[in-house]
Amino acid sequence: MQTPSMWRHTLTFFPQFLAALKERAEPDSTVTVIGASDGRLILPLVSAGYHVVAIERDSLALHGGEVQLPGDKTGHAMGLIERLKLEGLADQVQVVEEDFLASEPLGTTSDAAWTSCSWHYGANHRRPLGEFVDRMQCLVRPGGLLGAEFMMPIEQRHHMLEHYTSPERLQRYFIGDWDVLLTLRTNEFTERAHVGQLQDHTHRMGLFLAARASTPS
């Protein structure tokens, strides 16, 4: 990949999701990504042979534009659509420019669904976390994979919001037809300033991977 993502230096559990996907899905399977951003995790999926449905509401992430950078600088960020064209991958990605929580369901299922740190964004706090999880689950066919990385609470205000969660709290959404495959978490760590967070900041992150049963229980 020749076009850099503006999020390329931020920590992610995506390699664990990709490893599970390779174990459980065929190379030409379809993966739906909620919160596609500028394609930081889309392009690796396509390069690995998967078809991708990329859902994103943010115009800047999709179409690019001027961004504020650390150090009181500005720069041009390349959006997902331009990156896909430059990489010659546009035919393998269906871009859905919609609010995942407000739009009508896609009406189709995928072999896997993934989201990266989308729950904690303020725009998603107006709906219960369970609604987001339920919509994700509805995207996954029987036998398919669901993966989510998310922010865990650090500050007091985080503990007042269910969207800053933990693997233990997520368990209650995955009963019946779901098998939990892997949960991980970090300790608190300092992440360097980046687009959207112009000062060094502290995070704690979690990972939740689950598989939908091939037949209903």
Side-chain angles (χ1 to χ4, degrees):
M1 290 174 284
Q2 302 300 314
T3 57
S5 166
M6 58 182 164
W7 306 103
R8 62 190 179 276
H9 297 307
T10 57
L11 185 146
T12 180
F13 284 116
F14 178 75
Q16 285 83 354
F17 171 74
L18 186 59
L21 187 63
K22 289 179 178 178
E23 289 180 359
R24 306 180 70 89
E26 297 298 323
D28 62 347
S29 297
T30 298
V31 182
T32 298
V33 176
I34 301 101
S37 189
D38 68 353
R40 174 198 181 195
L41 307 179
I42 302 293
L43 271 65
L45 285 170
V46 178
S47 297
Y50 300 104
H51 302 283
V52 178
V53 179
I55 303 175
E56 177 59 63
R57 61 176 289 175
D58 184 77
S59 178
L60 178 64
L62 289 176
H63 304 287
E66 187 175 278
V67 294
Q68 188 71 30
L69 301 172
D72 198 26
K73 300 176 183 178
T74 59
H76 177 80
M78 190 179 300
L80 170 62
I81 293 173
E82 183 180 3
R83 293 186 71 207
L84 290 172
K85 289 180 179 177
L86 290 174
E87 299 283 355
L89 301 174
D91 291 343
Q92 294 170 256
V93 179
Q94 176 189 350
V95 177
V96 180
E97 189 171 359
E98 290 182 352
D99 182 336
F100 177 63
L101 290 176
S103 61
E104 291 295 322
L106 292 179
T108 59
T109 58
S110 299
D111 300 285
W114 167 258
T115 194
S116 174
C117 297
S118 54
W119 296 340
H120 71 282
Y121 282 108
N124 291 325
H125 293 173
R126 67 188 187 281
R127 303 283 187 89
L129 175 60
E131 182 178 340
F132 197 117
V133 175
D134 181 69
R135 280 180 170 246
M136 275 194 73
Q137 291 174 333
C138 290
L139 293 174
V140 180
R141 65 164 179 79
L145 179 70
L146 185 151
E149 60 183 4
F150 48 89
M151 295 299 178
M152 297 180 64
I154 297 176
E155 302 175 19
Q156 183 59 38
R157 64 184 179 88
H158 296 160
H159 292 277
M160 305 298 292
L161 294 166
E162 64 172 346
H163 301 77
Y164 286 82
T165 189
S166 68
E168 292 81 10
R169 292 175 183 172
L170 289 171
Q171 294 272 0
R172 68 180 185 269
Y173 300 115
F174 292 86
I175 57 177
D177 296 340
W178 291 91
D179 295 317
V180 178
L181 303 178
L182 177 66
T183 64
L184 294 173
R185 74 195 68 215
T186 69
N187 295 321
E188 293 185 16
F189 64 95
T190 300
E191 192 164 73
R192 300 301 300 271
H194 55 74
V195 174
Q197 284 275 18
L198 299 180
Q199 304 294 328
D200 291 358
H201 48 283
T202 301
H203 284 318
R204 190 178 180 213
M205 290 177 60
L207 169 72
F208 197 96
L209 294 182
R212 192 169 195 174
S214 298
T215 57
S217 60

